[in-house]
Amino acid sequence: MQQPEERDEVEMLSLMLLIRRFEERASQQYQAQKIGGFCHLYIGQEAVVVGAIAAIRPDDYVITAYRDHAHALARGTSANACMAELFGKATGCSRGLGGSMHYFDKERHMYGGHAIVGAHVPLACGLAFACKYREEDRVTLCFFGDGAINQGAFHEALNLAALYKLPVIFICENNLYAMGTSVERSTALKEIVDRAEGYDIPGVIADGMNFRDVRDKLAAVVKSIREDPHPAFVEVRTYRYRGHSMSDPASYRTKEQLEKYRMDDPITRLRAQLTREGKLTHEQFDELDKKAKQAALASVKFAEESPEPPIEELYNYTYAP
Ligand SMILES: Cc1ncc(C[n+]2csc(CCOP(=O)(O)OP(=O)(O)O)c2C)c(N)n1
Ligand SMILES: [Mg+2]
């Protein structure tokens, strides 16, 4: 089987570029009022999900909160299906009925897209329990923000995961803010990773601006879980360049702070690493970026030309039959 470090890093860089260019287009289409409802962009955090995906197999499970475009794209859901979902079209990955916060792709084991902060953390335990019960060696990656760690559901889930030794990795994407509230104002602990210790779950910190650090830390955790099922916690330190959602001017933080993280951009960093090592030329990078931009643009055309879901669909899929 392919080992994580063998996953082509150039391919992973292209994936980060696709995510970034897709979201830039989504932002533009939102401003043009082609997209309704909420829309939370992931720009700046790309190395977190791409690093994590590089450490797992396609049959492992992924579940996340509402900042979910990147998680679906990283799992291989097409840019077309993702953009069509934002447009509320029938060709979207949730048939146009979910929108930005409720992406879903069962075939690729991407189990949402969940809008209630912390509510999907127990669901991750359910997914992991199912895998363990069926004696499969799959791991479940559960992504959530720094804002979720003070929710009751989060604590109940970690406790049960530890008791049942569930093969689940809790990945806290610590981007320093939950809406406009900084993590220092919401959380008494200095280091979020210490939350795991209270449940006897091993914890590790990864640099979310560095693809290789995220991939390598995750790969080590995944390896130990496959050998002997247990939960783990990874705090990934990252930053979102945009506001919480499209309607947030992000005036609660300084220009200097944003600039500091932009200078440490995850795409620029991986590009520089690969260029320095002679694995990527400037021309090749430009070509990858051009392809990502074309895919994002084509997804807008696809979404625009796709049909609306039929009105009879409106009340379908709300409850399981
Ligand atoms: C239970 C609940 N309370 C409040 C909200 C409103 N809300 C939406 S996002 C959010 C902040 C969450 O921040 P974080 O978990 O750090 O994720 P990030 O947006 O940084 O990715 C809040 C409070 C919600 N969706 N669910
Ligand atoms: Mg946050």
Side-chain angles (χ1 to χ4, degrees), residues 30-215:
Y30 193 91
Q31 276 153 352
Q33 300 186 338
K34 294 281 180 65
I35 297 168
F38 285 102
C39 185
H40 308 85
L41 301 180
Y42 195 71
I43 296 179
Q45 300 186 204
E46 294 90 346
V48 183
V49 79
V50 177
I53 291 296
I56 61 167
R57 300 191 312 235
D59 66 332
D60 289 320
Y61 291 175
V62 169
I63 186 166
T64 188
Y66 47 81
R67 202 178 291 286
D68 61 350
H69 309 158
H71 302 73
L73 289 167
R75 274 267 95 170
T77 309
S78 72
N80 284 0
C82 288
M83 192 61 81
E85 191 56 40
L86 295 181
F87 277 60
K89 297 297 183 78
T91 50
C93 56
S94 300
R95 298 190 173 95
L97 300 172
S100 166
M101 302 197 289
H102 305 107
Y103 278 18
F104 207 90
D105 192 337
K106 192 175 163 212
E107 198 187 316
R108 295 180 180 81
H109 303 297
M110 156 52 182
Y111 295 102
H114 297 267
I116 303 301
V117 174
H120 67 289
V121 187
L123 299 183
C125 290
L127 291 170
F129 182 84
C131 294
K132 192 171 176 184
Y133 187 75
R134 295 191 297 241
E135 295 181 5
E136 297 163 350
D137 72 343
R138 300 174 191 213
V139 298
T140 294
L141 300 189
C142 175
F143 296 86
F144 49 87
D146 45 284
I149 63 157
N150 299 312
Q151 290 289 85
F154 167 88
H155 292 271
E156 295 179 32
L158 263 71
N159 186 51
L160 279 181
L163 279 173
Y164 290 142
K165 299 203 184 332
L166 300 179
V168 52
I169 308 177
F170 300 107
I171 302 175
C172 180
E173 302 199 46
N174 179 8
N175 60 11
L176 305 182
Y177 294 92
M179 299 184 82
T181 307
S182 74
V183 70
E184 290 96 28
R185 288 176 62 217
S186 69
T187 302
L189 272 177
K190 292 253 177 328
E191 310 274 1
I192 284 181
V193 71
D194 291 343
R195 267 288 143 84
E197 211 172 303
Y199 297 98
D200 202 22
I201 293 177
V204 54
I205 297 171
D207 175 0
M209 308 311 271
N210 185 348
F211 162 82
R212 288 179 175 172
D213 193 55
V214 177
R215 177 200 56 195

Side-chain angles (χ1 to χ4, degrees), residues 12-46:
M12 295 295 109
L13 179 65
S14 320
L15 193 49
M16 287 207 270
L17 280 167
L18 175 67
I19 294 167
R20 173 113 9 134
R21 300 308 176 210
F22 174 90
E23 290 213 310
E24 286 167 353
R25 280 286 165 200
S27 164
Q28 191 188 49
Q29 294 301 308
Y30 193 91
Q31 276 153 352
Q33 300 186 338
K34 294 281 180 65
I35 297 168
F38 285 102
C39 185
H40 308 85
L41 301 180
Y42 195 71
I43 296 179
Q45 300 186 204
E46 294 90 346

